[in-house]
Amino acid sequence: MADDYTQHDDFIRPAQNVTHPRHIVVVTSAFLASFFGVPVILYLVLPVATMDAFLAGVTALATTAQFAIFGVSAWVFVRTLRMVHGRGFFSLIGPYKLAWSDLCRVTVSVGATLLLIQVILPLTSWDEPAQVRNVAVWIAWLPVAVLAILIQVTTEEIIFRGYLHQQFACLSSSRLVWMLVPSLLFGVWHFWNGNSAAEGAVYVFWATLLGLACADVTARTGNLGAAIGLHLANNIVAVVFIGTEGWPMSGLALILYPYHDPDVLSAEINEVLMLWMAFSLVISAFSVLIMWLTTRITLKR
């Protein structure tokens, strides 16, 4: 399990023709404009009740739509990439057959590991579920859910571990630039997942570590498949098995636990802030370490 980045040069080669930082600003700005613009457009064309249901994400359809809508921004991003850099989607992926193989293998191995750790082992210590959804209906939604999550994950990976990774690596050979900077941006991207500043900070820490793990396996394999697979497995386990009633993105979860007011929960966290932060940071680091090690063992790299 040596530090072997021999495939990295091949991965970043498609980015070497156009490397000026202004091009990075243009492409990422186009993505951000589409990402934040799509909800505004939806507000203008959809009934208020429909939009509220979409944002709440407590039904299978709404949660699936929240993930699938990333595809619109991905399309804008790839179109802008072609106009600005003269290259397309697969230039961000690497050898696509190898990438697909790595994606499938890592998704299965990391998903099984997370399921064992996060679902099966702690099950006896959890409270009684408020609801267990109809298994047949849940299974029927599962392929659609996985596809939608794949769209969301691939969108984030082609931007942070594909485009930004490649472009920054062309600007500097330092890992502090091409590995750390996109990972920090990825971490900040997740700040608003938290309901308070403290929760947001934990999300930033966790997502930054996840970004570093994905950047590492991308550099080792020379393709984006392993990073997408690791990210996909994490999101599938987090979304389709366990959820909390009434919380965003709970619509695909098989098992729902009783509703807790997020504001009350945030207030309880603030009462034991330092202890909660320390515990959360350790758990975050441990979860990413497990996923990273599982990925490396699976790929033997």
Side-chain angles (χ1 to χ4, degrees):
M1 302 237 297
D3 183 359
D4 182 7
Y5 286 178
T6 57
Q7 307 298 317
H8 189 238
D9 287 345
D10 289 337
F11 178 69
I12 68 172
R13 188 168 290 116
Q16 291 174 344
N17 290 333
V18 183
T19 60
H20 197 283
R22 69 171 177 271
H23 298 107
I24 301 175
V25 173
V26 170
V27 174
T28 53
S29 295
F31 166 76
L32 292 173
S34 64
F35 182 82
F36 291 107
V38 167
V40 175
I41 295 171
L42 291 178
Y43 259 118
L44 295 175
V45 300
L46 293 177
V48 174
T50 301
M51 195 60 194
D52 288 344
F54 167 76
L55 294 175
V58 297
T59 66
L61 179 59
T63 302
T64 301
Q66 285 186 356
F67 286 110
I69 204 71
F70 275 75
V72 176
S73 299
W75 180 83
V76 171
F77 169 74
V78 173
R79 292 288 295 176
T80 309
L81 177 74
R82 184 168 294 281
M83 288 188 291
V84 174
H85 291 271
R87 61 192 183 101
F89 174 80
F90 286 104
S91 71
L92 304 166
I93 300 295
Y96 66 90
K97 290 184 179 179
L98 181 59
W100 178 251
S101 173
D102 288 351
L103 188 160
C104 294
R105 293 166 61 197
V106 170
T107 300
V108 172
S109 62
V110 173
T113 302
L114 290 178
L115 197 59
L116 178 66
I117 293 173
Q118 299 182 21
V119 177
I120 298 175
L121 293 182
L123 191 58
T124 56
S125 63
W126 286 341
D127 296 331
E128 285 296 317
Q131 178 184 352
V132 178
R133 288 196 165 103
N134 183 289
V135 175
V137 174
W138 178 79
I139 291 174
W141 271 100
L142 194 56
V144 181
V146 171
L147 177 60
I149 296 171
L150 177 61
I151 291 171
Q152 177 257 328
V153 165
T154 301
T155 300
E156 292 187 343
E157 290 304 317
I158 62 174
I159 292 166
F160 292 99
R161 256 66 63 186
Y163 179 70
L164 292 178
H165 180 129
Q166 290 174 331
Q167 294 300 140
F168 280 118
C170 290
L171 293 174
S172 173
S173 60
S174 171
R175 296 181 192 180
L176 290 176
V177 176
W178 61 261
M179 181 179 280
L180 182 58
V181 173
S183 298
L184 285 171
L185 293 173
F186 182 65
V188 173
W189 177 256
H190 286 77
F191 176 80
W192 289 271
N193 287 17
N195 190 58
S196 66
E199 294 170 69
V202 171
Y203 271 108
V204 170
F205 176 76
W206 171 83
T208 299
L209 292 183
L210 182 68
L212 290 170
C214 289
D216 175 76
V217 298
T218 298
R220 291 178 188 279
T221 60
N223 70 79
L224 215 55
I228 294 174
L230 190 161
H231 197 167
L232 177 63
N234 175 83
N235 285 19
I236 289 174
V237 172
V239 170
V240 305
F241 291 99
I242 304 294
T244 301
E245 277 191 329
W247 279 25
M249 294 190 295
S250 62
L252 293 168
L254 174 62
I255 301 172
L256 290 171
Y257 282 86
Y259 174 82
H260 297 286
D261 188 327
D263 293 332
V264 172
L265 187 59
S266 296
E268 293 173 351
I269 287 171
N270 288 333
E271 291 180 2
V272 288
L273 183 60
M274 297 308 297
L275 180 62
W276 179 86
M277 286 283 289
F279 177 77
S280 298
L281 295 179
V282 169
I283 293 299
S284 297
F286 177 74
S287 67
V288 174
L289 177 63
I290 291 297
M291 289 189 286
W292 177 71
L293 287 174
T294 302
T295 300
R296 292 196 57 188
I297 291 170
T298 299
L299 301 176
K300 299 180 181 178
R301 294 189 181 182

